Amino acid sequence: QAEEELKAAWSQQAEQLREMGRRERLLRSDVQRAGEQLESFKTRVMQVCSPSAAGSTGESVTEQQVIEKVRQISEENQQSHEREKSLQKELSSTLAKEKEVSANIEVFKNSLQKLQ
């Protein structure tokens, strides 16, 4: 009976080891697939950011290149927003001056008509 129990326990342990091996293979496969997806994503980001920086040389795009390109785009975006705000202020100021000049012209016309 003890021998039977040992065989059952050994069989159970062997089954658990096989299951662990199967899980490990699945995890390795998932990790490899995730790495390939990351590499593909980095390449696509670089192609969108700068088509000449990715794909044409056949070299792998580094994470640092992607980070730098995203940082550069972010800074350019910030500068564009600041420039847009500045131009909006300038436009508002110009429109206000134009309105004032138009009002002054109207006053001048009215005064001129009264004088005639």
Side-chain angles (χ1 to χ4, degrees), residues 40-58:
S40 173
F41 175 74
K42 288 191 304 186
T43 301
R44 285 184 291 166
V45 168
M46 288 302 291
Q47 286 172 338
V48 167
C49 296
S50 174
S52 63
S56 59
T57 61

Side-chain angles (χ1 to χ4, degrees), residues 1-14:
Q1 185 181 359
E3 187 178 331
E4 295 277 325
E5 288 174 4
L6 280 174
K7 283 183 181 180
W10 192 86
S11 178
Q12 187 178 9
Q13 290 292 324

Side-chain angles (χ1 to χ4, degrees), residues 88-101:
Q88 285 288 351
K89 285 181 181 178
E90 189 178 324
L91 180 60
S92 293
S93 174
T94 300
L95 289 174
K97 286 178 185 174
E98 192 176 288
K99 214 176 205 180
E100 184 182 342
V101 168

Side-chain angles (χ1 to χ4, degrees), residues 74-86:
S74 178
E75 288 171 4
E76 290 171 0
N77 190 30
Q78 181 66 30
Q79 290 171 355
S80 293
H81 283 297
E82 289 172 9
R83 178 76 175 134
E84 182 182 5
K85 284 180 185 178
S86 171

